[in-house]
Structures are given as structure tokens and as C-alpha cells.
Amino acid sequence: MHPNANPFNPGAGSPPHTLAGRDAEVTAITTAIERSELQRGANGIVLHGLRGTGKTVLLGRFCEIASDRGWIAVRVEAAASTSATFAEQLVTRLTPHMLRLDRPSAGERVKRALGAFKSFSLSVGLQDVSAGIEVDPRHLLSYGTSIEHSLPDMLRTLAEACAETRTGVLIAVDEMHDLSRADLRALLAVGQEANESRAPLLLCGAGLPALPRLLSEARTYAERFFEFRAITWLDKADARRALVAPVEALGESWTQDGLEVILSSAGGYPYFLQHFGRAAWNVAAYSPISANDAVAARRLGFAELDQGFFHIRWERATGAERSYLRAMAVDGDGPSRSGDVAQRLGKPASALSAIRTRLIDKGIVYAPARGRIGFTVPGMATYIRRRDEQE
């Protein structure tokens, strides 16, 4: 079967042909949007889970649903590797929407929203971005350099303007765990402002499993502003649908044995379902995709993962960091106790804290709880053991 027609797409954040197993999250955001339009109040949704489980795809879907209803919906990535600050990214993403609102017939609420946005842009040092937005000086506000007050005020003012047309504002923040404490507190203030004002303003986010803890540490009552949802592996029925539906949509099929081989290889992990599904399609000369095709695809798929997906993370680690990862791999996908890792390396845990922090900053591991450490992707422990056996 021709690779150009391959329906599987394992790219980072790339929407799959079939978004299987996430109906509950799609229903939840649709309900929240509808309640917000009626000014009945609704919490935003925070997605947390390992990398490759589809959190970014879901955030994109949330924005798509809101946009289809006429909302202003923007997605911002808070990754540590991004040079622009969170506030700068948000202003840049919102600017095209604000330019569309800036028209002679704009009402008073829209004019106030434009003034608040321009004031916020100036406060974060982006004078040029909002230069094309004409604002009456009386609508400019004296925002300080701290965004904990200015961000919620600006977004609430914008949401109130949208409410006149029964729409709203949805802000989706990816890699939320990488935000600074100040930015997290500002976003939590946005959630509080939305709850208290009942303006049609929804804040959603996604991050690693430690994200709920980070939010509660930034502000103790964070759980009141969000609905937290763990995004994990798909059960077998949903995993099967993720593999079967894209193939059948193109008039092709699987043999039962071939499908079982790929299901077993992927283990319900969304990224692996796309990865091994793509390999199986490319290997198969014709439909249906057989067990022999699937076995060859499994071999090819793991080789590609070892050379790319896992290898890239391994190469980013220094020699000392790799020793730490090897000690973690004893526990499989974990998580591991930091004390156990230190004992295996024959050092006190305090002597390894800098290594642990560097691995967290590189996105290779995360801290699900105090004294615990885990890999951010499944299968990393098996890769490390497999690699050591080959050397």
C-alpha cells in the first residue's frame, strides 16, 4: 500500500485520523463552553499525563470546538525552550483577533477590551505588536509589570466584550508545568476571575503528571478553578478503533492476527499506536495487513524508536545523568524512589539532586511526587536495558 496514503501520523501534536478514547474530554469542554455562553459558570480543564498520550492534540481540539462557535481561542506553548515569555506569546497569538475587533462600529465594551489589550501589550514590552490597534486614550489602563493583576483583568474585559455576541475566550496552555511560579499564579488568578465574574472565559492546560501538584503549590485552592483529567493509555477497544477506523476509511483492512500484533506492540499508548500503525501500513504490500506484515512492522518500529524517539533523549544526557537513568531503569517504567536510585549508585540522595534537576529540566524525567522520579515516556527503561545488553 502506498506510503502517501498512510492514514497514521505519529508527529508531535499531530491530530490522528480517529481521536479514540477521548469522548469524555470532548464532551466536558463542549459543556463548559455552552455553560459559559449562558453565563452559568464553568471550570477550565487541565490535562495531565506522560508525553505522547495526546494532550496537545486534545488542547487543539478544545480550541477547534471553541472557534467553531465563534470564540476567540488561542493555544500557547509554555515550553522552557521557548525564548518568548508566556505573556509575550499570548499577546502575539491574541493580536490577530484584536485587529478583527478593531472596527469603527465597535461598541463600548469592545473599545474597553481593545484598551485593556493594548495596555497589557505595553506592560510586557510589546509596543510594536499592538501598534495597529487604535485606542482612545481614556481606555488605556495603568498596568504594572506584574501580570498577576493585569492578565486576569485584560482577559475578563475581552470575555465581557465577546459576551455581547454570546461567544467567549478560551486560552489553552501547553507544557503548563514549564511555567514560572509567577505565571502559574497569574493563570490561577485568571481562573478565579472567570469564576467570580462568570464572564465567558475558559482557561485550559496540559502538562506532565506533576502539573496538578504544581498548581496547588502555586495556590492552595487551584482545584476549585479546574477540572483535572488524567490522560493515559487507551483501553483495548479504543486502541483497536484507533488502528481500524483510519484503515477502513480508505477501504483497506487488517487480519485479526495482524491487528493483535500491533495492539500488543503499542500497549494502548497513543503515540505508539500511530507509530506502529504507520509502520504496518508501509510494510504491507496489499490489504489486508497480515500477521507477517505486523511482525515486520514491529521490528521496524522498535528499530526506529531506538534510533529516534529513545535515542534523542539518551543523547541529551551526560555520563553522570545516564548512570542515574540506568539506576532508574531497574524499576521499569517506574516511578522510582529517589532514595533507591541513590542507594544503587552508592551515593546520598542529596549528592544526586543536581543531576535529578538537570534531567527534569531536559524533559527526560519528572517528579510525580516528593521523593519519586519517573520517565516522561513509557518504554525508556526497556530501551536502556536493551542498549546496555547490546554494548
Side-chain angles (χ1 to χ4, degrees), residues 92-103:
T92 301
R93 296 297 178 90
L94 281 173
T95 296
H97 298 281
M98 306 308 293
L99 288 170
R100 283 193 286 272
L101 290 177
D102 187 16
R103 54 185 184 272

Side-chain angles (χ1 to χ4, degrees), residues 72-275:
I72 293 174
V74 298
R75 185 169 69 85
V76 178
E77 184 174 334
S81 59
T82 304
S83 58
T85 66
F86 167 72
E88 289 169 347
Q89 286 192 74
L90 183 59
V91 167
T92 301
R93 296 297 178 90
L94 281 173
T95 296
H97 298 281
M98 306 308 293
L99 288 170
R100 283 193 286 272
L101 290 177
D102 187 16
R103 54 185 184 272
S105 60
E108 189 63 23
R109 281 192 174 186
V110 171
K111 291 178 181 178
R112 286 203 300 268
L114 291 168
F117 175 75
K118 185 145 190 170
S119 301
F120 184 79
S121 302
L122 294 172
S123 73
V124 299
L126 291 182
Q127 294 89 341
D128 294 341
V129 172
S130 60
I133 298 175
E134 298 296 330
V135 174
D136 189 318
R138 66 192 176 90
H139 289 127
L140 290 175
L141 305 171
S142 299
Y143 285 149
T145 56
S146 171
I147 68 169
E148 191 168 340
H149 164 71
S150 57
L151 179 63
D153 186 76
M154 182 271 286
L155 290 177
R156 174 187 52 78
T157 305
L158 177 55
E160 288 174 346
C162 292
E164 292 189 341
T165 56
R166 294 289 290 272
T167 60
V169 178
L170 185 146
I171 307 297
V173 184
D174 204 2
E175 304 288 342
M176 192 183 256
H177 56 270
D178 275 332
L179 286 174
S180 67
R181 177 63 68 90
D183 286 341
L184 282 176
R185 289 184 61 84
L187 284 175
L188 289 167
V190 171
Q192 181 175 6
E193 186 76 25
N195 278 10
E196 292 177 355
S197 68
R198 292 203 173 183
L201 171 60
L202 288 173
L203 172 64
C204 296
L208 292 174
L211 180 56
R213 173 175 59 81
L214 294 174
L215 289 170
S216 66
E217 289 174 353
R219 185 164 287 180
T220 55
Y221 44 90
E223 70 282 354
R224 302 181 192 177
F225 306 143
F226 300 109
E227 181 180 339
F228 291 100
R229 288 183 175 258
I231 306 302
T232 59
W233 282 252
L234 300 180
D235 62 28
K236 192 166 184 177
D238 285 325
R240 182 184 296 273
R241 187 160 71 92
L243 289 172
V244 171
V247 172
E248 290 188 343
L250 295 177
E252 311 295 354
S253 63
W254 298 81
T255 66
Q256 185 60 38
D257 289 344
L259 183 60
E260 289 297 331
V261 169
I262 299 302
L263 285 170
S264 175
S265 302
Y269 180 50
Y271 178 79
F272 286 178
L273 286 165
Q274 295 296 308
H275 178 78

